[in-house]
Amino acid sequence: MTEESAALYVVPTPLGNLADLTRRAEEILRTVPWVAAEDTRHSGPLLKQLGSQARTLPAHQHNEHEAAARIVEKLQAGEAVALISDAGTPGISDPGARVVAAVRAAGCKVVPLPGACAATTALSASGLLDEHFLFYGFLPSKGGQRRQVLEELRQQPCALVFYEAPHRVLETVADMATVFGERTLVIARELTKLFESIHSGPLTAALDWLKEDPNRQRGEFVLLVSGAPAGADDGEGERVLKLLLDEGLSTKQAAKLASAITGVAKNALYDRALALKS
Ligand code: SAM
């Protein structure tokens, strides 16, 4: 090992393109005595290809406490451990955070390596101009809970970054369109792989775009939504809108009056009223 030894190295692995493993990551994986992997069978071929002699131990979401204790033991015995997940950066919508917390709590060193991560890879090519971003990761799989989370995020003035599975992409995009209305959606699919595609367009047209070609619904997805526009409803417009709808006013009347009272754009309130009713 050329690096300091008895540390936990948090090592990102490629999302698809093996050339994305950094030289430093390669060196660590080749020289550490232990690799803690989310799935030891999945990571076996990569380690073999690197000529790594490391012994592996499983560190997945169902054994993280136990794995953390074993890793701390190794570190305290002076042995270095590399932590990897199936793809990308450990701890980012992946197991790893508990291991890192336990290692830090035990007073051992944690060394993070920069590298592949689907969220930042997608963001860098999104063309979204928001100065800030919020990484959410996976939304709840149940529709009601998912829409509630989206509602909570609706007023965030920064780009929103989500991970999604192919079998849920249509329903999630439909919910995003209902809750967020007219924003930009970037659909980043199969990043770094043969069929990589990055599509950007109005959120309200995205569902039709996805349905036009079933291939567009395949693979791994990062969904990025532009942030709430400046001067958008800070909550007051919606509060008044709801009161007026509850009083029995029509969608159109309620939007018009709420706009006159709060100064929030009438069209935005009209879309919101439709979403609330649905
Ligand atoms: N830790 C990983 C990272 O750093 O990005 C994320 C792991 S999470 C379990 C897997 C999700 O990441 C996928 O469902 C997908 O949303 C996203 N993802 C992973 N690889 C991707 C790729 N090549 N293209 C697009 N999204 C990807």
Side-chain angles (χ1 to χ4, degrees):
M1 294 269 318
T2 53
E3 300 249 1
E4 222 171 307
S5 37
L8 175 74
Y9 296 91
V10 184
V11 181
T13 54
L15 299 170
N17 188 330
L18 284 183
D20 291 334
L21 190 74
T22 67
R23 292 217 305 260
R24 189 173 168 214
E26 197 175 321
E27 186 197 327
I28 297 278
L29 293 176
R30 208 181 313 110
T31 53
V32 286
W34 290 98
V35 172
E38 179 181 7
D39 180 342
T40 51
R41 272 179 309 175
H42 174 94
S43 299
L46 173 70
L47 297 174
K48 196 169 172 207
Q49 195 183 324
L50 297 176
S52 170
Q53 303 289 315
R55 278 170 290 173
T56 54
L57 55 94
H60 46 76
Q61 60 170 336
H62 304 295
N63 80 338
E64 249 192 302
H65 284 295
E66 189 194 321
R70 281 187 73 190
I71 291 167
V72 168
E73 258 175 45
K74 308 277 173 225
L75 296 171
Q76 286 174 340
E79 293 187 292
V81 182
L83 176 69
I84 60 176
S85 60
D86 287 354
T89 303
I92 307 297
S93 296
D94 256 346
R98 284 201 174 85
V99 168
V100 168
V103 168
R104 292 176 64 80
C108 301
K109 192 167 173 181
V110 177
V111 179
L113 271 66
C117 174
T120 50
T121 305
L123 200 55
S124 71
S126 69
L128 293 176
L129 299 178
D130 305 73
E131 201 174 329
H132 308 284
F133 71 92
L134 185 156
F135 172 68
Y136 192 85
F138 289 103
L139 286 159
S141 54
K142 292 198 176 119
Q145 290 170 9
R146 182 169 56 232
R147 284 188 289 278
Q148 194 185 330
V149 171
L150 292 173
E151 283 289 351
E152 286 162 12
L153 295 171
R154 197 171 58 82
Q155 286 164 19
Q156 290 291 338
C158 52
L160 305 171
V161 184
F162 302 94
Y163 286 164
E164 193 48 283
H167 60 279
R168 269 198 287 271
V169 74
L170 288 181
E171 45 186 293
T172 293
V173 167
D175 284 346
M176 286 176 170
T178 305
V179 175
F180 295 140
E182 206 50 73
R183 304 244 192 123
T184 298
L185 174 70
V186 179
I187 303 175
R189 189 171 71 84
E190 292 291 87
L191 293 167
T192 79
K193 301 186 198 177
L194 190 59
F195 296 108
E196 174 178 282
S197 86
I198 301 171
H199 169 82
S200 175
L203 176 50
T204 45
L207 199 57
D208 287 342
W209 182 83
L210 282 167
K211 285 181 180 167
E212 262 168 40
D213 179 352
N215 286 322
R216 294 176 181 166
Q217 301 158 35
R218 298 210 169 103
E220 299 197 272
F221 288 88
V222 183
L223 301 173
L224 307 97
V225 184
S226 58
D233 187 3
D234 62 1
E236 185 59 5
E238 178 159 335
R239 195 183 66 79
V240 173
L241 183 70
K242 277 183 184 156
L243 284 174
L244 296 173
L245 288 171
D246 287 348
E247 287 303 313
L249 267 70
S250 72
T251 310
K252 201 172 159 190
Q253 285 172 320
K256 191 175 168 192
L257 207 53
S259 171
I261 295 168
T262 64
V264 175
K266 190 169 68 184
N267 287 349
L269 287 171
Y270 183 75
D271 288 346
R272 201 60 213 123
L274 290 178
L276 286 170
K277 283 193 162 179
S278 78

